[in-house]
Amino acid sequence: MSWQLVNNDRREEQLLVNESLFALGNGFLGIRGNFEEGYVHSNKSVRGTYINAFHDITDITYGEKLYAFPETQQKLLNVIDSQTILISINGRRVAAGEEVQMERTLDMARGQSVRKLSWTDQEAGQTIVTFRRLVSFTMKELFAQQVEIETEREASVQISTVVNGDVSNFSDPDDPRVASGHAKRLTVEQTDAGDMLSVTCRTYESNLSVHCSAKSALSTAAERKVSTEAGRAKETYTFTSSGKTVLTRWSVYTDTYRHGEQLTNQAAQLLQACTSFEETAEAQEAYLQQFWSDSLLEIDGDPDLQQGIRFNLFHLLQSAGRDAVSNIPAKGLSGEGYEGHYFWDTEIYMFPFFLMTRPDTARQLLKYRFSLLEAAKIRAKEVGHTKGALFPWRTISGGECSAFFPAGTAQYHISADIAYSFIQYYLVTEEQAFLTDYLTELLTETARLWMDTGHMKDGQFRIDDVTGPDEYTCIVNNNFYTNAMAQYNLNWAAACWELLEEKDAEALRGRLQLEEGEAASWKKAAEHMYLPYDEKLRIHAQDDTFLQKKVWDLASTPKEKFPLLLNYHPLTLYRYQVCKQADTVLAHFLLEDTADEETMKRSYDYYEKVTTHDSSLSYCVFSMMAARHGDVEKAYRYFIETARLDIDNTHQNTKDGLHLANMGGTWLALVYGFAGMRIKASGLLFRPVLPKAWKSMSFRIRWRNALLEVRLDKDKVRYEALDGTLTFRHHEDTISLKEGEFKEIPLHEG
Amino acid sequence: MSWQLVNNDRREEQLLVNESLFALGNGFLGIRGNFEEGYVHSNKSVRGTYINAFHDITDITYGEKLYAFPETQQKLLNVIDSQTILISINGRRVAAGEEVQMERTLDMARGQSVRKLSWTDQEAGQTIVTFRRLVSFTMKELFAQQVEIETEREASVQISTVVNGDVSNFSDPDDPRVASGHAKRLTVEQTDAGDMLSVTCRTYESNLSVHCSAKSALSTAAERKVSTEAGRAKETYTFTSSGKTVLTRWSVYTDTYRHGEQLTNQAAQLLQACTSFEETAEAQEAYLQQFWSDSLLEIDGDPDLQQGIRFNLFHLLQSAGRDAVSNIPAKGLSGEGYEGHYFWDTEIYMFPFFLMTRPDTARQLLKYRFSLLEAAKIRAKEVGHTKGALFPWRTISGGECSAFFPAGTAQYHISADIAYSFIQYYLVTEEQAFLTDYLTELLTETARLWMDTGHMKDGQFRIDDVTGPDEYTCIVNNNFYTNAMAQYNLNWAAACWELLEEKDAEALRGRLQLEEGEAASWKKAAEHMYLPYDEKLRIHAQDDTFLQKKVWDLASTPKEKFPLLLNYHPLTLYRYQVCKQADTVLAHFLLEDTADEETMKRSYDYYEKVTTHDSSLSYCVFSMMAARHGDVEKAYRYFIETARLDIDNTHQNTKDGLHLANMGGTWLALVYGFAGMRIKASGLLFRPVLPKAWKSMSFRIRWRNALLEVRLDKDKVRYEALDGTLTFRHHEDTISLKEGEFKEIPLHEG
């Protein structure tokens, strides 16, 4: 059961949610779970096909535009639609109407979704139509469909399939989290219908082309007609069925980014390799078998939760870009929320899962960020810095896409977050080439940003006028999270130059124009970094003045007023102690050596009372830190909120796409939370605890050349080196395991 | 000389500036100084006619729209153009080309502008064409023109006049201070050409109509043809001239706000009264004679400065709305900068001139603000307050028109500024009816805003997340200016309820639902108001953290980088100690009892070093406070910047309209600055000083029922009660004068 998601609800609202839940993708191509034949009653559907990073450039309009506000933004486009398969049986159009039974399943072991319709009528008797679809992990361009039509009696059948280039993006002017305009951004350049159907489209401004070619095969003889019209290529089969008929259909997508100029040829070539749905499905299953083995994460004692976990990991896999131009959009490739932009969500919430289970993907994600370094240096200059790299708050191809700088560009921590993920990668892999080729340069340029942003005053290094992760308080001085992350960034930037071999250092020093004493100045700034602390409350202050503000009365705020951002003017939110998400608590999670246990605990207790969790990035952090502080049951309660957030649509906006960062957060909460994993300069560390509700929990991670399996039972934890040799700590104890060895340690109730 | 402004420069740039400088208006109607015949070379002109408060409603587009961001704004419209008079002499079109001499004069004593063209050609000999125009102070709807054509020899002449309803606003997408879209907002509803020419237009959204009817009279017999076409009504006279011919033309504007629905009838009626340009001109001169007598302000020793002063007072008179729906736009009625919106500029910079010289106009300006109180209460609720009135940062009819809240809605001080002007009015006039009908209610609702915005913490009343006058630092806690003004507001709100007679208090208490202890809570908040003070520098801190920031290196900033707001991202500006304008210094000016002399002086010295004066609201404040601190020569240097700012176009944007607040600032700098006037609960006070450059300075003000003339000479000051009886202080000495009495007091060099 935990391998499948089943949902047969056909109410309009849930259909939109299911479009996201049943979305299929492979990091390159994403296709929402729309019905091949469309809906019967609803006229609302976000019918979407997306290619990661495939975007147009649109103007940003401001009521009042100030200097260096970005003038354009990038927007992930809904590309050519090749989902449509229309079927008529005895002249009656097949659609999931009231008299039709429907069963819909997402199979996460096989990477397919299946939708089965069945009904009985006088003429044809019982009819069963089964749609299968997959987006291939082994051929990234491929979307494969199979339709099985089974009639009890002989029937006249017509099947049409369509490749449609006349597509638009979805827009909603009332929600700041969804795009509000620029819906139509693709022009159809060519439409062909022969043996294959194919459509090529070009963007209005970004000068990118996308192509889709589709071919199909029918298990029975039929008349086939083709046509093109208004940007659509269509084919129609007409035949008489008796028993079972199967239509197999392959659609292949190519785009300028990955396939240069020869989009049509390359698509045709790829299509040639597609011959059997069964073979494609087998390859898909084999790929997933490896994935589920590498990223094993099992809980004994709660099937619903297990389902949620699998669902979240499955979508992480489906969403992560694996090439030089793409990353993980905030909604994956499952919807248009946040316009396909990449945020810090990747580095802080999703990257660790890939880092510890699929280091190749992790490395590719970092290489993508590194490719934006030049753009970040230009952006820093635009904003007014003399040096350094300021990464954009939201972007696809490197330009800042945020139109509201207090909660966008002002989130300088993005640059430190990226630096943090680079450091983590180095700590886990110890790749010297990474240090030389990427890490040192990235940390140098981000360190330079902090030096130019902050300033020394009365012996303290201070960073003014930035926004921390919590967007309910914007443009503040000395945000604890930002300062602590900048400190880590600065310290590590200096450390890189010490870790480099001299010949590499020399070459880099010239290229990066490292000045005499520059690294020393970073160390000094880090050493004197001001980390606001309230002497009375004995907690870290979120910023210079947060704790001086009024406390929002959360208990008396009516339920319908949440999320607060949709019900209060930002000034009202800024004026109170109220947090959208974990901010200081997140810093304590990422950088636990910044504070002593008691300060972290008191801070947790304080901020928990003023946090609304209006951001889906919040729960997992509170879960992990509850586990850290020994409150396992609270950790469990927060964890529950993450694991099924989308399946249960608890944030009410899953229709716009899945909450990928929260999905990453599920994994974090289990591995960093309950298993208490940390990655430090001193190595790998565990401090495991197990919630009462579970009998056991197991997971696997990679550490350098080793594969480690960890299993938590009620009374013990078992570490086993499935592959390679590794050393790590369990609390204060150092454990070394050779390949095949394991060690069991008793667990005491928390 | 000082009564006239002459400018014959015909370069494109200066022509645009001159359109603002030579603008004529009367508080209702404003017409830019465009050429009747248009320009010869330039194709850039802001041809503008404005009716105060006559606006359309336009959508505001946001790249990212958050809760309670205003969805629409109001925009002052360029209305029907009736300036055009085209003349041909012997088939040659009259225009101020290169071979034509031009003299252009604004006559501030007579309230006219005159433009004289002269040239010689073979056929007609010497020809002189003189255009005169005025916007009447005695009939607010009237724009009168007279053209005198004098040819040396007989010539064939054609004169056309046009009333044009096909007009648009000016737009500039690159400057945040000018509108960037929505240029066309008027539809022509009717066009007639008979004895009169007339056009009626209607706005797209605000449902307002504007009408213009024009009639003309020619001093000689002529053929007259009329036509209508594309929103224009036109008449053409054809005749043979010998010697002098005079065309007189009257255009009358009516609008929905002031004339209800009978726009055409009322215009026709008004036109009937227009019979002689000379009579109209005489009435104009008589009106101005009274104005210049009431607002006498003379400096002996600097004619250029005297010209600047007259120019500024003249434009203040031309710009102030005197009816229930209008106020003073930031650019007067001289251009489209800031879209005709009303800001705090009125209350803090312009109102005092009217208060002390034309109390009727002052009262009308306050009544206009009072009429927006209900809208301000609604806005407070929208933003998230439970009570109180939050006045909009910029508005015409009461709705917030700011599309950038950190420097708009966040400027909560606007509500205290309005309260301050109401209090000043009461102090000067002591009108009991004003206390009962306006003052108490306005102060009660603004006091409630402060109570709901601020909060008591550790014995201090604190106001978080507002923006003070200085827009180079936004969204701060405890802005000194805001807190000090709120304190004054709260104290006076409580005082009102004590000043009221019991029967009035009882009625108001019910209507305003004053709660038991509410006034006492205001007093307590005021008493505990937190006014940030830096113990080390011993100055008032601009806000909680301003003095902790980096100091901007103004000396090393290249000239072309000013104004900074057009060259740096707001975050960069926020991050430094750098001020666009006086902030804390302004508070010390308005509320001198908030600080001791030494604190004010030290604060002045400190903030002066970090202020760019990028706002035209800055110089006058630094001038006044320099005078206050005894540095008369510095006061003089700052003053110089104010008096001729527009005439010399020192801010490079006079083309968009005049800087009305700075014009008010000129008067403030003379009367509050050099004469050291203050209005306090204890009465009227002077501390006069005279700059070395001047032989003397004289001015008149009204105080309750008296008219006082003050004359500063090198060695003495002379106070004379021209009318009525009054008591005031000169430094510590109390002086009482009966009508006709004067008192001379020796002045010591500063």
Side-chain angles (χ1 to χ4, degrees), chain A residues 6-10 15 18 22 35 37 39 95-105 114-119 129 131:
Chain A
V6 176
N7 193 316
N8 303 325
D9 193 336
R10 277 178 274 174
L15 281 176
N18 284 351
F22 287 81
F35 285 10
E37 74 280 15
Y39 299 144
E98 276 164 32
E99 75 287 16
V100 174
Q101 279 203 319
M102 188 184 89
E103 259 183 69
R104 181 187 210 181
T105 308
V114 182
R115 190 160 55 90
K116 194 169 175 179
L117 308 179
S118 65
W119 70 95
V129 176
F131 296 94

Side-chain angles (χ1 to χ4, degrees), chain B residues 331-619:
Chain B
K331 301 286 187 182
L333 297 166
S334 69
E336 299 176 17
Y338 296 116
E339 305 184 72
H341 293 160
Y342 314 132
F343 292 77
W344 71 312
D345 303 37
T346 298
E347 277 74 12
I348 298 300
Y349 293 86
M350 300 185 264
F351 174 79
F353 165 69
F354 294 102
L355 174 62
M356 302 312 285
T357 63
R358 303 179 78 71
D360 285 354
T361 303
R363 192 173 212 270
Q364 196 57 53
L365 291 169
L366 298 186
K367 280 175 76 174
Y368 156 80
R369 279 294 192 189
F370 191 82
S371 75
L372 306 185
L373 185 58
E374 280 311 306
K377 285 160 71 178
I378 291 167
R379 179 67 183 153
K381 289 250 163 53
E382 272 174 17
V383 165
H385 294 289
T386 57
K387 57 186 178 177
L390 173 59
F391 281 93
W393 177 239
R394 52 193 296 177
T395 192
I396 293 176
S397 62
E400 175 65 270
C401 293
S402 170
F404 178 63
F405 81 85
T409 297
Q411 298 208 39
Y412 270 50
H413 66 86
I414 177 97
S415 293
D417 302 333
I418 291 168
Y420 185 88
S421 68
F422 275 69
I423 298 162
Q424 293 282 301
Y425 182 88
Y426 178 71
L427 287 173
V428 171
T429 65
E430 278 197 327
E431 284 175 19
Q432 279 305 300
F434 184 78
L435 172 72
T436 317
D437 296 346
Y438 302 105
L439 185 65
T440 306
E441 183 168 352
L442 189 114
L443 294 194
T444 295
E445 295 299 350
T446 45
R448 284 170 171 169
L449 177 79
W450 297 119
M451 296 306 290
D452 199 65
T453 307
H455 67 120
M456 199 70 89
K457 165 104 186 162
D458 302 335
Q460 294 172 329
F461 191 82
R462 306 172 65 91
I463 299 173
D464 294 330
D465 288 282
V466 297
T467 296
D470 168 33
E471 294 168 7
Y472 284 175
T473 306
C474 287
I475 309 186
V476 296
N477 301 332
N478 300 301
N479 170 257
F480 176 81
Y481 177 89
T482 306
N483 286 21
M485 291 291 280
Q487 182 181 47
Y488 190 71
N489 188 341
L490 287 161
N491 269 330
W492 264 98
C496 278
W497 289 95
E498 287 162 20
L499 287 165
L500 282 170
E501 290 185 23
E502 185 44 37
K503 71 170 177 18
D504 295 331
E506 204 180 307
L508 269 177
R509 214 177 280 131
R511 192 159 66 76
L512 304 182
Q513 297 183 289
L514 188 79
E515 284 172 25
E516 186 70 36
E518 199 176 350
S521 75
W522 302 337
K523 264 189 169 162
K524 190 179 160 208
E527 188 190 333
H528 293 275
M529 184 64 69
Y530 172 53
L531 298 174
Y533 179 83
D534 187 279
E535 294 290 347
K536 211 162 129 199
L537 297 167
R538 295 190 295 150
I539 65 174
H540 277 127
Q542 185 169 312
D543 57 57
D544 270 3
T545 61
F546 182 84
L547 297 172
Q548 268 48 263
K549 296 183 181 178
K550 273 186 283 195
V551 175
W552 189 287
D553 185 358
L554 284 177
S556 306
T557 307
K559 262 195 173 173
E560 66 272 17
K561 291 287 194 183
F562 294 91
L564 300 181
L565 83 152
L566 295 186
N567 294 287
Y568 295 92
H569 190 282
L571 274 178
T572 302
L573 299 175
Y574 298 174
R575 207 165 273 145
Y576 285 86
Q577 292 189 41
V578 62
C579 300
K580 188 180 174 197
Q581 64 189 272
D583 191 299
T584 308
V585 175
L586 175 59
H588 286 160
F589 161 63
L590 295 173
L591 302 166
E592 63 177 22
D593 299 327
T594 310
D596 61 68
E597 298 285 321
E598 290 308 307
T599 301
M600 288 199 285
K601 180 69 173 66
R602 280 189 301 264
S603 300
Y604 183 98
D605 291 341
Y606 189 89
Y607 291 108
E608 189 185 25
K609 289 194 190 75
V610 296
T611 300
T612 62
H613 312 292
D614 284 345
S615 162
S616 65
L617 309 183
S618 191
Y619 294 131

Side-chain angles (χ1 to χ4, degrees), chain A residues 486-658:
Chain A
Q487 182 182 46
Y488 190 71
N489 189 341
L490 287 161
N491 268 330
W492 263 97
C496 279
W497 289 95
E498 287 161 20
L499 289 166
L500 282 171
E501 292 186 21
E502 184 45 36
K503 70 167 178 19
D504 296 331
E506 202 180 310
L508 269 178
R509 216 177 279 130
R511 192 160 67 74
L512 303 181
Q513 298 184 290
L514 188 78
E515 285 173 25
E516 185 69 37
E518 199 176 350
S521 75
W522 303 337
K523 263 188 169 165
K524 192 180 158 206
E527 187 190 331
H528 294 274
M529 184 63 71
Y530 172 53
L531 297 174
Y533 180 84
D534 188 278
E535 295 290 347
K536 213 162 129 200
L537 296 168
R538 294 189 297 150
I539 66 175
H540 278 128
Q542 184 168 313
D543 57 58
D544 271 4
T545 60
F546 183 84
L547 297 172
Q548 268 48 265
K549 296 181 181 179
K550 273 185 283 193
V551 175
W552 188 288
D553 184 357
L554 285 176
S556 308
T557 306
K559 262 196 174 172
E560 65 272 17
K561 291 288 192 182
F562 294 91
L564 300 181
L565 82 154
L566 296 185
N567 294 288
Y568 294 92
H569 190 282
L571 274 178
T572 302
L573 298 175
Y574 298 174
R575 208 164 273 143
Y576 284 86
Q577 292 189 43
V578 63
C579 300
K580 188 180 172 196
Q581 62 188 271
D583 190 300
T584 308
V585 175
L586 175 59
H588 286 160
F589 161 62
L590 295 173
L591 301 165
E592 63 177 21
D593 298 327
T594 311
D596 61 68
E597 298 286 321
E598 288 309 306
T599 300
M600 289 199 285
K601 179 70 173 68
R602 281 188 301 263
S603 300
Y604 183 98
D605 291 341
Y606 190 89
Y607 291 108
E608 188 185 24
K609 289 195 190 75
V610 296
T611 300
T612 62
H613 313 291
D614 283 345
S615 164
S616 65
L617 309 182
S618 191
Y619 294 130
C620 66
V621 180
F622 276 93
S623 176
M624 288 186 284
M625 289 306 281
R628 175 79 177 80
H629 299 313
D631 192 343
V632 188
E633 297 317 308
K634 179 181 275 182
Y636 176 77
R637 286 195 302 275
Y638 278 118
F639 169 74
I640 294 291
E641 298 287 344
T642 75
R644 295 182 57 88
L645 186 146
D646 281 309
I647 293 182
D648 298 338
N649 192 19
T650 56
H651 271 234
Q652 301 285 312
N653 62 349
T654 291
K655 69 172 174 45
D656 303 324
L658 304 168

Side-chain angles (χ1 to χ4, degrees), chain B residues 195-206:
Chain B
D195 289 346
M196 301 187 311
L197 305 178
S198 67
V199 173
T200 308
C201 292
R202 196 163 191 85
T203 58
Y204 285 12
E205 293 293 336
S206 63

Side-chain angles (χ1 to χ4, degrees), chain B residues 149-170:
Chain B
I149 301 168
E150 199 172 356
T151 53
E152 204 176 326
R153 288 193 283 278
E154 203 174 81
S156 136
V157 180
Q158 206 173 54
I159 309 182
S160 300
T161 83
V162 181
V163 179
N164 178 17
D166 181 20
V167 290
S168 291
N169 276 64
F170 180 73

